Amino acid sequence: MSEMIADLLVLIDARQVSEFHEQIREVAGSGEEFSDGSYAAHIDPLIEAMSGSRDSPRVARRTYTFSGGPSFSALMQAQSIALIATTSRPTIPGARIRRLLTLSDDKALRRMDSNISSMLSALDGLDTDRYYSLLSAVDVSIDGQTKDIRRGYVRQPLEQSLEILRRRRDEAILAAELDDARLQEISSAAASAAFIANDFPRHLFGEISPTSEPLTPFTITFDGLNKGEFTNLPMAQPVLNEEEWWRETVSHQVAAVVWSDVIRGMDWQEIEGRTPDEFWRAVRDGSARNRADGHDPVLVIGNASGPGWHSDWQWPELSDGASPPEDLIIIREEDHVNSYEFSMNDTPVYSARIEPGVVYLIPAQLLHAFHCHVYENGLSVSLAFQTQHDDPWLGSMHTSFERDIVLADLRAYRIRWTDDENALSEMSG
């Protein structure tokens, strides 16, 4: 298709080259949307008609579908050939182009940036030897040497145009104000699942309650975000699943912080479990003691590494490792939170972030109450964007919340299955 469009240039009268040159430069700078009177609007119907010239004949009463056809604005190689053919001397972006490159409509500027960048890529990849006969037919002064010189003539104004455009956008992003309403929307999404019983360990707390009282603060920082996604007016396109991402990511981070609070706040008894048999006895007997006290045992394993015999016990037919104990039944129950892995004799097993080489066996009733702070805007999560000092387009989102937990005075166990650094490295790898 690029060759076909390029061949059309031969039909241009030499007296029209200057006018055509200005038109093709406008196409290169104006992005995907053109007025009815533009060059692209005139040539696109011709391209569409020619592209279908080899199609099979249509059959009466048969339904056909159409998903869109080629357009001159999308054929960067053809545009590159046109520019080389019509650029006989060094040029700079004129006043008309500069006005286009400094529009206040950032959406249009983003389209132009993408289009000019694509043009430069097409220009770099263009095989001028292949199109030498075409170029010399348009302009007889083009020879084997000048065709590559002309490529440089074309590149220079395109690069200058891109520099002007991006300088304009840099100035705009520096002056752009953050959209408070948009940050409120993201805060609402982030807070929507942060303090509900939808994942471990929050679902084990007997009480989750909001309060206006100040609690223990924590801030999570997300770096490398595009400031343009949060400005008024937007200067970048937000991701499609943005609200879902903030909801799930902040929920996961809050759960990790709360579990860390639990580990630091509880008292545990250290138990050895360095072999499969020793480990199973520690889990089995510790669970029995919890049940004897009227509590529900819960086993927490690391989400990065864990005893290798866990997988051996779950899928013994696929493993040559440790055989499961005769009194162990492993099942995976339905309707559990995401961090649930399986159950060992009715003791549910959850994965969480813990120190390597250990697991925790706790009574579910250990987690008595969980309190979260509600800010003045009614949300339990507060977001604040800070621009990066060395790049005005990038920044960090500081995501803050306050929480406190209340633990019951109940017995918990930490079972150590290894402190071998080599074994831990193999498991995490």
Side-chain angles (χ1 to χ4, degrees):
M1 180 56 63
S2 293
E3 292 89 335
M4 180 181 66
I5 301 306
D7 288 343
L8 294 175
L9 300 178
V10 181
L11 303 178
I12 301 174
D13 189 281
R15 291 169 298 178
Q16 298 174 322
V17 166
S18 177
E19 178 184 354
F20 176 75
H21 186 204
E22 181 64 23
Q23 289 172 325
I24 194 65
R25 290 177 65 188
E26 182 177 353
V27 170
S30 59
E32 299 173 359
E33 296 180 4
F34 309 102
S35 65
D36 292 339
S38 69
Y39 183 82
H42 282 91
I43 199 172
D44 280 352
L46 174 60
I47 297 172
E48 181 181 338
M50 294 183 67
S51 67
S53 61
R54 297 182 181 180
D55 291 349
S56 301
R58 300 294 176 94
V59 178
R61 298 183 180 180
R62 179 175 294 178
T63 301
Y64 294 88
T65 59
F66 179 69
S67 59
S71 65
F72 187 69
S73 60
L75 299 175
M76 293 299 173
Q77 188 179 67
Q79 292 185 44
S80 298
I81 294 171
L83 287 168
I84 291 174
T86 59
T87 306
S88 59
R89 63 184 184 278
T91 61
I92 60 173
R96 184 178 180 185
I97 298 299
R98 287 176 179 271
R99 284 195 298 271
L100 282 172
L101 297 171
T102 54
L103 292 171
S104 59
D105 181 0
D106 191 73
K107 184 177 180 180
L109 293 178
R110 294 199 301 271
R111 288 199 306 269
M112 283 188 272
D113 189 308
S114 175
N115 203 46
I116 296 174
S117 298
S118 298
M119 177 75 75
L120 286 168
S121 296
L123 196 65
D124 287 339
L126 184 66
D127 183 357
T128 54
D129 290 334
R130 178 182 178 185
Y131 297 104
Y132 172 64
S133 59
L134 170 61
L135 292 168
S136 59
V138 177
D139 187 340
V140 294
S141 66
I142 297 178
D143 56 27
Q145 182 178 5
T146 58
K147 60 181 174 57
D148 289 321
I149 294 176
R150 287 197 176 198
R151 192 205 303 257
Y153 291 165
V154 173
R155 165 172 284 282
Q156 181 177 354
L158 287 174
E159 289 179 338
Q160 290 175 343
S161 296
L162 202 58
E163 181 181 354
I164 293 169
L165 185 155
R166 291 180 174 174
R167 186 165 60 244
R168 168 69 180 85
R169 295 195 71 223
D170 286 346
E171 293 170 355
I173 195 66
L174 280 170
E177 296 182 355
L178 295 172
D179 188 343
D180 291 336
R182 181 134 158 63
L183 292 178
Q184 178 81 359
E185 291 177 0
I186 298 173
S187 298
S188 296
S192 62
F195 296 99
I196 60 176
N198 65 337
D199 204 358
F200 176 86
R202 292 186 300 251
H203 75 298
L204 296 179
F205 280 95
E207 173 191 349
I208 299 180
S209 58
T211 177
S212 59
E213 296 297 320
L215 302 174
T216 305
F218 193 92
T219 298
I220 306 166
T221 300
F222 299 97
D223 294 321
L225 301 183
N226 189 334
K227 178 185 175 182
E229 296 180 13
F230 311 105
T231 56
N232 185 13
L233 301 161
M235 297 186 67
Q237 182 66 40
V239 294
L240 293 177
N241 63 337
E242 179 183 64
E243 291 189 4
E244 178 184 358
W245 187 88
W246 281 103
R247 178 171 57 252
E248 293 182 358
T249 301
V250 174
S251 175
H252 177 75
Q253 294 293 333
V254 170
V257 171
V258 172
W259 172 243
S260 178
D261 291 344
V262 172
I263 291 178
R264 290 197 303 269
M266 69 180 174
D267 293 325
W268 65 79
Q269 176 185 344
E270 185 90 10
I271 300 178
E272 293 292 305
R274 297 176 183 269
T275 67
D277 288 341
E278 189 177 49
F279 180 86
W280 169 236
R281 286 195 299 270
V283 173
R284 181 195 61 194
D285 297 347
S287 296
R289 287 191 291 271
N290 274 328
R291 291 192 179 93
D293 293 337
H295 304 135
D296 302 311
V298 171
L299 184 66
V300 186
I301 64 175
N303 53 15
S305 63
W309 50 80
H310 272 174
S311 58
D312 296 337
W313 291 350
Q314 290 180 79
W315 301 285
E317 68 279 2
L318 302 177
S319 173
D320 296 329
S323 299
E326 294 182 359
D327 58 344
L328 170 62
I329 299 176
I330 292 183
I331 60 173
R332 197 175 198 287
E333 301 175 347
E334 301 296 329
D335 301 325
H336 274 271
V337 298
N338 290 335
S339 298
Y340 171 76
E341 298 292 337
F342 50 85
S343 294
M344 302 171 66
N345 285 13
D346 297 326
T347 296
V349 179
Y350 298 94
S351 60
R353 189 182 304 168
I354 59 177
E355 62 268 42
V358 301
V359 301
Y360 287 92
L361 181 65
I362 65 172
Q365 290 76 11
L366 172 72
L367 282 62
H368 178 66
F370 176 32
H371 307 297
C372 62
H373 175 74
V374 177
Y375 295 92
E376 292 183 359
N377 61 1
L379 299 176
S380 55
V381 174
S382 175
L383 267 60
F385 188 89
Q386 182 177 14
T387 304
Q388 193 170 306
H389 71 277
D390 58 345
D391 189 334
W393 285 96
L394 297 179
S396 302
M397 188 72 79
H398 301 292
T399 309
S400 302
F401 58 90
E402 299 179 20
R403 85 288 176 207
D404 267 338
I405 63 170
V406 178
L407 301 179
D409 186 16
L410 299 178
R411 178 165 47 186
Y413 303 100
R414 187 172 75 170
I415 304 172
R416 177 163 294 282
W417 57 272
T418 187
D419 49 16
D420 185 342
E421 292 186 1
N422 293 328
L424 293 172
S425 177
E426 290 177 5
M427 291 300 300
S428 60

